[in-house]
Amino acid sequence: MSSIRAPRKRPKKTSVGGDLSAPTPAQWAKMTSYGSFVVTDAQGQEVVFRLGDTAAVLPGNKKIGEALELHKYWVVKIMAIRGKNVLATKSRGTRGKGKSEYWIKIRWFYSPTEVSWRIPGFQAAHCSKYERIYSDHSELVSALTFNELLSVQKFHEDDPDQPRIDCDQFYTRYFLKTSSKQAQISSYILKTSMDLGHSVGCICGKPYDVNSAELFHIMHLCPRPRCRGFYHSCCLLEHGYWTRMTHPLLRLSNSPDTDEIPMFASKSSKYAARLPADLLLLAAQPMVRGAALDSLGLAGNCHDVTFARRTVYAAMQGTKVPDKWRDCVDLAAAVVDSHLPMLELDGTGEELVLMCPHCHGPI
Ligand SMILES: [Zn+2]
Ligand SMILES: [Zn+2]
């Protein structure tokens, strides 16, 4: 892969409106394509940026060397790399001579605040400072503005297998379409309401507020393939979506892989004794997320509980539980029931479990 080398320099870009000194479409068409480029960072280390990479670029109003927290950088995805006069530059050994020679076609990741300016009703306050909204807004920016590589993890809110997202990690759960007459925002969900015939969001219509540490704002996911909804516990309680907890393993009747009740539910007592108690405990946890459970990161414990339920269902079919299954989960964080409010029936003290509004399964 051929590379070009860009000197580190204060960017000319002054806003997300684009760089006025960027090549015209005709100039861009004549430039040579590259697979990567190199920038020397503030510590003198060379950083290689490649096609497809996600990177932090210095905001136009910041000076090189100025201390800046990572979440304040602009975030881009590299779509194309082109240079002009590269051979001449190399032969002189001047590497650009103060003039930007290399231009990168990028797609912007918007900040939540920027999206709130374009989408009426979009509340930036429900997003973390590391949240970015990927877009189809493409521009040319100078290679000189690139600061460092970073990863932006995709957050599928309806995915029972969603891997962990740390609270100080960049992530994206929405896509912003800017090419249409009016900007539109959509969620990165695996199944749309068209597929399911119902919305995957809470009955209140409010999104997952990753900053709310309110215990009753914790969201419960129904993992069933025809459901995949996530609901605030306060909304489920308010609308009467609860039932009696008739068995400690009741939630195992809710599988991420079938809308039917797995065989385990009807034979649970007989088989449970053969399985590790901590595996069963994990499998029977509610799938939850929320800032009140910050040790789980933003995506909650769904991934680990899904793993445990699948392991239990497989054991039911005769598959041996892997010896090192505990290495695949964060058992201490994912077992959450002691951190959740105890739900009891008034007067009787009978334990309650929340119920999916769609399939009425225990969640
Ligand atoms: Zn709600
Ligand atoms: Zn359901």
Side-chain angles (χ1 to χ4, degrees), residues 202-206 219 230-236:
C202 186
I203 38 188
C204 66
K206 291 178 185 159
M219 299 195 90
F230 40 95
Y231 310 94
H232 299 106
S233 53
C234 56
C235 295
L236 295 173

Side-chain angles (χ1 to χ4, degrees), residues 52-63:
D53 280 347
T54 308
V57 303
L58 198 66
N61 57 351
K62 298 294 173 188
K63 291 179 182 160

Side-chain angles (χ1 to χ4, degrees), residues 147-220:
N147 193 70
E148 64 182 285
L149 291 165
L150 51 82
S151 72
V152 180
Q153 192 168 346
K154 212 175 253 189
F155 183 12
H156 296 104
E157 290 189 89
D158 63 335
D159 184 4
D161 251 338
Q162 171 65 48
R164 182 184 172 91
I165 301 172
D166 288 321
C167 296
D168 58 354
Q169 187 179 356
F170 283 103
Y171 67 95
T172 183
R173 59 174 153 165
Y174 301 117
F175 177 76
L176 181 71
K177 186 175 179 187
T178 61
S179 54
S180 50
K181 204 171 175 186
Q182 231 173 0
Q184 296 169 347
I185 196 159
S186 54
S187 292
Y188 284 122
I189 48 176
L190 298 180
K191 294 191 176 179
T192 65
S193 51
M194 290 281 279
D195 300 327
L196 297 169
H198 62 91
S199 163
V200 296
C202 186
I203 38 188
C204 66
K206 291 178 185 159
Y208 170 28
D209 179 349
V210 301
N211 301 309
S212 174
E214 178 66 46
L215 210 51
F216 284 98
H217 286 175
I218 286 174
M219 299 195 90
H220 288 240

Side-chain angles (χ1 to χ4, degrees), residues 17-256:
D19 188 334
L20 295 175
S21 60
T24 63
Q27 289 168 333
W28 173 255
K30 287 181 190 164
M31 290 167 76
T32 308
S33 294
Y34 294 88
S36 64
F37 64 98
V38 179
V39 167
T40 304
D41 68 15
Q43 288 74 42
Q45 299 292 316
E46 291 190 337
V47 183
V48 182
F49 296 88
R50 294 186 170 82
L51 285 176
D53 280 347
T54 308
V57 303
L58 198 66
N61 57 351
K62 298 294 173 188
K63 291 179 182 160
I64 297 284
E66 191 177 332
L68 192 64
E69 294 165 277
L70 189 58
H71 67 87
K72 291 185 177 168
Y73 279 88
W74 289 344
V75 181
V76 301
K77 186 177 177 75
I78 299 171
M79 309 304 286
I81 301 165
R82 291 192 185 175
K84 60 180 179 181
N85 304 325
V86 175
L87 289 177
T89 302
K90 275 186 176 172
S91 65
R92 288 200 308 270
T94 53
R95 293 181 184 174
K97 227 175 181 179
K99 185 182 172 191
S100 177
E101 300 284 345
Y102 312 109
W103 289 88
I104 318 301
K105 182 175 275 187
I106 55 92
R107 275 189 174 196
W108 288 109
F109 282 88
Y110 278 59
S111 72
T113 302
E114 288 165 343
V115 171
S116 72
W117 297 335
R118 301 192 66 150
I119 302 287
F122 184 88
Q123 302 286 334
H126 81 282
C127 304
S128 115
K129 59 188 179 185
Y130 289 96
E131 180 154 351
R132 292 293 183 274
I133 294 89
Y134 191 45
S135 78
D136 61 357
H137 180 186
S138 183
E139 280 184 340
L140 297 182
V141 300
S142 165
L144 312 184
T145 64
F146 280 70
N147 193 70
E148 64 182 285
L149 291 165
L150 51 82
S151 72
V152 180
Q153 192 168 346
K154 212 175 253 189
F155 183 12
H156 296 104
E157 290 189 89
D158 63 335
D159 184 4
D161 251 338
Q162 171 65 48
R164 182 184 172 91
I165 301 172
D166 288 321
C167 296
D168 58 354
Q169 187 179 356
F170 283 103
Y171 67 95
T172 183
R173 59 174 153 165
Y174 301 117
F175 177 76
L176 181 71
K177 186 175 179 187
T178 61
S179 54
S180 50
K181 204 171 175 186
Q182 231 173 0
Q184 296 169 347
I185 196 159
S186 54
S187 292
Y188 284 122
I189 48 176
L190 298 180
K191 294 191 176 179
T192 65
S193 51
M194 290 281 279
D195 300 327
L196 297 169
H198 62 91
S199 163
V200 296
C202 186
I203 38 188
C204 66
K206 291 178 185 159
Y208 170 28
D209 179 349
V210 301
N211 301 309
S212 174
E214 178 66 46
L215 210 51
F216 284 98
H217 286 175
I218 286 174
M219 299 195 90
H220 288 240
L221 176 80
C222 179
R224 281 187 173 148
R226 290 294 301 166
C227 293
R228 298 289 166 88
F230 40 95
Y231 310 94
H232 299 106
S233 53
C234 56
C235 295
L236 295 173
L237 286 167
E238 190 183 327
H239 289 85
Y241 290 114
W242 50 263
T243 186
R244 285 180 172 79
M245 181 70 115
T246 52
H247 191 283
L249 302 179
L250 191 62
R251 291 193 192 92
L252 268 92
S253 61
N254 241 3
S255 163

Side-chain angles (χ1 to χ4, degrees), residues 269-286:
S269 310
K270 183 178 158 192
Y271 284 85
R274 301 182 195 173
L275 297 172
D278 47 358
L279 176 64
L280 285 168
L281 179 66
L282 178 58
Q285 294 299 302

